Amino acid sequence: MASVKMAEQNRKPDNYNAITEGVIWKQLLLFFFPLLLGTFFQTLYNTVDAVIVGRFVGTEGLSAVGGAAATLINLFVGFFVGVSSGATVVIAQYYGAKRADDVERAVHTAMALALAGGVILTLICFFLGPEALVWMNTPEDTLADSGLYLRIFALGMIPNMIYNMGSGVLRAAGDSRHPTVYLIAGALTNTVLDLLFVAVFHQGVAGAAIATILSQLVSAVLTVIRLCRTEDVYRLNLRRIRFDRVYLAKIVGIGIPAGLRSSMYTFSNIVIQAAVNGFGTTTVAAWAVWGKLDSMYWMLLSSLGTALTTFVGQNYGAGKSTRVRRSVKETAVISLLLTVFFTVLIWTLAEPMYSIFTPDAQVIREGAHMSRCLAPYYWTYITIEVLSAALIGMGDALIPTVITVLGVCVLRIIWNVTAVPYFHTIETVIWNYPITWSVTSTAFLIYYRIFKKKRHLA
């Protein structure tokens, strides 16, 4: 009898929402870990391509898959992922406020945007991407393969966009588990097909690209099935997918600035990649591997940032400002702990990590040096990720975009134009990052204090 009474006391009401009512740090971590696992497998797509191509095709193939082509793909896809975050924020706020009709309309508008965005990005990436590779000073011996990889990847843009938008919808409602499962399914498919097309059929970079787009199709199909079968308010009805001007305006009002912000990071990296290309194929290959290892840190921080955006969005929509403030502080602490862990890891295990990708001793040596030059300064980025995620979760994407454009993109271009030509070393290129992170972090701190007072969150 006592156990029955205790069970009744512990039973949560049917409308209980852990994100708006549970212990903050626990709910953040519960939401974060599936996101981290999902981001890990997202990173695994290109990483597996790089490992298998580097081992079975060689340094030129590794440079083609992981160099300028990968940077351009990040630019195109990153913009739309930023746009899809607008849908995540809008849906999260409606979901937290329990406005079911608004959730339903926003979901169908978001999926219409995914389809339209996929078509547009396919055309841009396929027809303009190869010209951009030339502009980026891609080494002549990898230019053809880089262009081929980019064009084949473009054919998978529609399922890529559908998965990203669909997973954003699920996360907005507090479901980070299913998007992760579907991403894992896609990543495992990619690994098997990579080995088949590259190692067995010897299709080189083309095989790696085909494997990637087929695996993205798997993730997209599984996500759509989940959205169509759920009984929650965000259920997807394929026949009702269409643009609703009111909700489209809300989504792009947040999403376009967020997409531009994401693109500015990538565009600045394109400028940096162009500078790195001037050091030759070996350095480009080392930089490509460094990018894969470096992405492990970004998957930690970006996953935590995504968790915070959803967490802030739902609590802000529910009018719980105290939980909004506390979630920002607790996320900053978690971010610092993760940063210290990764810094120690990359500093001590750089050479073994690089040797996974390539047997080339010179590539390993140059890459390990790059990692150790940057690792001690990762902490200067924390404020940018945490505060921008919180501001976007509250619906403010414009000013964070302006700060990012000025503090990251413009400042990096200035550095590349002024410092790199006169001190033509890879260290000068790498110093781009901690300098721009420090300046941008300071700007975010100042703006966040102003924002809190205006919204009465202080």
Side-chain angles (χ1 to χ4, degrees):
M1 190 72 178
S3 61
V4 173
K5 185 176 181 180
M6 184 177 296
E8 290 178 348
Q9 290 175 342
N10 292 333
R11 185 182 299 133
K12 302 292 191 300
D14 292 338
N15 63 348
Y16 176 79
N17 184 344
I19 290 180
T20 58
E21 299 176 52
V23 177
I24 293 177
W25 68 267
K26 287 184 179 179
Q27 297 306 319
L28 276 169
L29 291 179
L30 286 173
F31 198 75
F32 161 71
F33 282 118
L35 283 173
L36 175 60
L37 188 60
T39 306
F40 169 77
F41 279 94
Q42 181 77 61
T43 304
L44 195 62
Y45 273 111
N46 284 338
T47 302
V48 167
D49 288 347
V51 171
I52 294 176
V53 170
R55 286 289 177 177
F56 291 97
V57 180
T59 300
E60 288 78 12
L62 174 61
S63 180
V65 170
T71 305
L72 281 175
I73 288 169
N74 289 337
L75 174 65
F76 297 136
V77 175
F79 174 77
F80 187 83
V81 171
V83 173
S84 68
S85 72
T88 301
V89 171
V90 170
I91 294 169
Q93 290 184 356
Y94 287 146
Y95 194 86
K98 297 180 172 59
R99 295 165 61 176
D101 185 61
D102 289 317
V103 171
E104 189 270 338
R105 291 175 182 269
V107 166
H108 288 89
T109 299
M111 296 309 293
L113 184 59
L115 290 171
V119 172
I120 293 170
L121 289 181
T122 297
L123 297 174
I124 293 175
C125 194
F126 189 89
F127 291 106
L128 300 182
E131 292 300 320
L133 292 174
V134 176
W135 174 81
M136 291 174 66
N137 195 29
T138 303
E140 193 68 33
D141 55 353
T142 65
L143 183 59
D145 279 345
S146 295
L148 178 62
Y149 183 84
L150 188 59
R151 280 187 158 168
I152 295 174
F153 189 96
L155 301 178
M157 280 294 186
I158 293 176
N160 192 325
M161 299 305 102
I162 289 174
Y163 168 75
N164 279 295
M165 186 64 81
S167 62
V169 171
L170 292 171
R171 287 195 297 268
D175 180 2
S176 60
R177 182 172 64 89
H178 284 98
T180 300
V181 172
Y182 305 149
L183 196 55
I184 291 173
L188 294 177
T189 301
N190 184 53
T191 302
V192 173
L193 293 180
D194 259 334
L195 289 170
L196 183 64
F197 292 148
V198 178
V200 179
F201 295 152
H202 306 291
Q203 294 299 304
V205 297
I210 293 170
T212 298
I213 64 175
L214 290 177
S215 58
Q216 288 171 341
L217 180 61
V218 170
S219 297
V221 169
L222 291 173
T223 302
V224 170
I225 291 174
R226 173 63 186 175
L227 288 171
C228 290
R229 290 183 176 179
T230 183
E231 296 300 323
D232 210 332
V233 293
Y234 57 88
R235 182 172 184 170
L236 178 67
N237 184 331
L238 298 180
R239 294 181 179 180
R240 299 188 64 182
I241 294 177
R242 61 178 59 87
F243 288 114
D244 184 308
R245 286 184 297 176
V246 173
Y247 298 93
L248 179 63
K250 291 178 180 292
I251 290 171
V252 300
I254 298 173
I256 293 295
L260 289 174
R261 174 177 168 270
S262 175
S263 295
M264 288 305 100
Y265 277 112
T266 308
F267 180 77
S268 66
N269 287 335
I270 289 176
V271 175
I272 293 172
Q273 181 71 55
V276 172
N277 288 344
F279 290 93
T281 300
T282 298
T283 301
V284 171
W287 187 267
V289 178
W290 171 72
K292 304 305 178 188
L293 297 179
D294 184 59
S295 66
M296 292 192 298
Y297 176 68
W298 303 120
M299 76 179 183
L300 289 171
L301 266 290
S302 66
S303 297
L304 200 54
T306 301
L308 180 61
T309 295
T310 301
F311 200 96
V312 168
Q314 287 202 22
N315 282 283
Y316 189 75
K320 299 187 176 183
S321 59
T322 300
R323 289 180 66 82
V324 170
R325 294 197 308 272
R326 286 183 55 197
S327 65
V328 172
K329 293 178 181 178
E330 294 182 23
T331 301
V333 173
I334 297 171
S335 297
L336 180 60
L337 295 175
L338 290 174
T339 299
V340 171
F341 166 77
F342 184 82
T343 299
V344 173
L345 180 70
I346 201 71
W347 184 275
T348 56
L349 298 177
E351 285 85 1
M353 288 180 172
Y354 277 84
S355 65
I356 296 173
F357 293 82
T358 177
D360 191 317
Q362 188 174 352
V363 172
I364 295 172
R365 183 169 58 255
E366 288 193 29
H369 175 66
M370 292 174 185
S371 292
R372 292 196 175 105
C373 283
L374 183 61
Y377 302 101
Y378 279 121
W379 65 271
T380 60
Y381 178 78
I382 293 173
T383 301
I384 301 174
E385 183 65 46
V386 173
L387 296 187
S388 62
L391 289 165
I392 290 172
M394 288 181 277
D396 183 3
L398 180 60
I399 301 302
T401 299
V402 173
I403 294 173
T404 300
V405 169
L406 295 177
V408 174
C409 185
V410 174
L411 188 55
R412 283 182 185 175
I413 292 173
I414 293 173
W415 180 267
N416 264 25
V417 171
T418 57
V420 174
Y422 295 99
F423 304 95
H424 197 245
T425 65
I426 197 65
E427 292 83 2
T428 306
V429 176
I430 291 172
W431 268 100
N432 252 305
Y433 294 100
I435 289 174
T436 54
W437 291 340
S438 298
V439 172
T440 309
S441 290
T442 302
F444 266 108
L445 281 169
I446 294 171
Y447 177 68
Y448 184 67
R449 291 192 65 180
I450 297 172
F451 181 88
K452 285 197 303 180
K453 290 181 179 179
K454 285 185 176 180
R455 298 292 179 94
H456 305 291
L457 296 171

